[in-house]
Amino acid sequence: MSTSIKYNNYLGNEISYSQVNNLQEYFKVYLENNLPFKKERYQNGLLVNTSFYVTSQSQIDTILLTNPGVSFEYEHLVNGHKVKDYLSYNNSILAYKRILVYNSIGETICYCRYKLEGNVFIPEETEKYYYENGELKYKFDYINNDGTLYMIYDEVDYQSDIYPEDIGNSDKTDFTWTGFEYYQNAEPIIPL
C-alpha cells in the first residue's frame, strides 16, 4: 500500500509544494494507491476543513467517532446510477448536504442542494440535465418550495427556452413529456 500527498489550487489544478506558500487557499490531498481518501482545505495557511472520500455509511460513522466536524464525499450506486453525496457535519450532526447524480456514461443528470429546516433537509436548489449525443441539450430548473418545473432552458438554441405552461401547445413548442418523465418534477432526484 502506497501513500502519497499532492496539492491542488482552488480550481483543482495540481500545484507543487513550493507554490503553496504563495496561495491564500489550497488543498492538501492524501492518496492511497493513487486514490484520494482525504482532502484538507487551507486558507491563509490554516486548516479550515477536512473531507474524506467514502463509499459506505459505516465509513462515515467510524470517521465521525474521532472527527466530529468533517465533511464527506460519499460515492455509491442507487438504481444503477452513480450518486455523490457531499455531506458536512458539526459535532457529528449532519449540517449540510448536496447531491450529484450521474447516468451510466458519467454525465451529470441531477444536482440538488438542500437546506436544513428544523431537523429536516428540504431541497433548496434542484437542476436536472438532459443530453443528446453527449452534448447538454436541456437544463430543467424547479421551484424550490414545491419541486414543480419553473423553466426548461434549451442549452443548444438559446432562443428556444420552454415555459411549462406551453408544453402541450403545439403553437408554442413541440416539446412533450414523452421520454422526459424523470424531468417533469424535481422528485425523484434519482431515477427509479
Side-chain angles (χ1 to χ4, degrees):
M1 185 165 30
S2 158
T3 303
S4 60
I5 295 173
K6 70 177 184 178
Y7 297 89
N8 292 337
N9 63 17
Y10 74 97
L11 296 173
N13 299 322
E14 190 168 347
I15 57 173
S16 69
Y17 178 73
S18 62
Q19 292 174 295
V20 163
N21 293 326
N22 298 329
L23 298 175
Q24 288 185 338
E25 181 178 14
Y26 68 91
F27 296 89
K28 184 176 183 179
V29 181
Y30 296 82
L31 302 112
E32 196 169 89
N33 297 326
N34 290 324
L35 295 173
F37 68 90
K38 182 170 100 171
K39 177 170 63 174
E40 297 174 338
R41 182 167 61 101
Y42 289 84
Q43 286 182 323
N44 299 318
L46 299 173
L47 176 64
V48 294
N49 180 266
T50 301
S51 183
F52 291 88
Y53 298 88
V54 297
T55 57
S56 72
Q57 183 63 47
S58 64
Q59 284 179 294
I60 292 172
D61 296 340
T62 300
I63 292 168
L64 285 174
L65 291 173
T66 55
N67 300 281
V70 296
S71 300
F72 297 93
E73 184 177 311
Y74 174 26
E75 187 175 311
H76 53 111
L77 290 175
V78 178
N79 300 333
H81 292 83
K82 182 170 79 170
V83 177
K84 283 189 181 180
D85 293 342
Y86 294 87
L87 311 168
S88 291
Y89 287 80
N90 289 327
N91 295 321
S92 297
I93 297 171
L94 184 60
Y96 175 82
K97 176 180 177 178
R98 67 185 166 102
I99 295 175
L100 288 170
V101 181
Y102 301 87
N103 64 17
S104 62
I105 58 174
E107 298 165 332
T108 305
I109 60 170
C110 185
Y111 165 82
C112 186
R113 182 171 39 96
Y114 294 85
K115 66 180 176 179
L116 186 60
E117 285 192 2
N119 290 329
V120 178
F121 280 96
I122 61 169
E124 184 173 35
E125 178 184 6
T126 304
E127 294 178 350
K128 292 183 179 179
Y129 312 98
Y130 177 80
Y131 300 83
E132 270 184 4
N133 303 319
E135 183 178 338
L136 181 61
K137 170 69 175 150
Y138 296 121
K139 180 178 90 170
F140 297 77
D141 197 7
Y142 302 90
I143 299 170
N144 298 334
N145 61 348
D146 68 1
T148 59
L149 183 67
Y150 170 71
M151 175 74 79
I152 302 171
Y153 297 97
D154 189 321
E155 299 293 313
V156 175
D157 183 0
Y158 294 108
Q159 301 298 315
S160 298
D161 294 343
I162 302 165
Y163 293 96
E165 61 268 16
D166 293 342
I167 298 170
N169 181 345
S170 59
D171 292 335
K172 298 204 176 199
T173 182
D174 59 356
F175 182 90
T176 69
W177 287 118
T178 304
F180 291 93
E181 292 80 4
Y182 166 67
Y183 300 92
Q184 201 162 355
N185 295 293
E187 294 286 337
I189 297 298
I190 303 167
L192 304 174

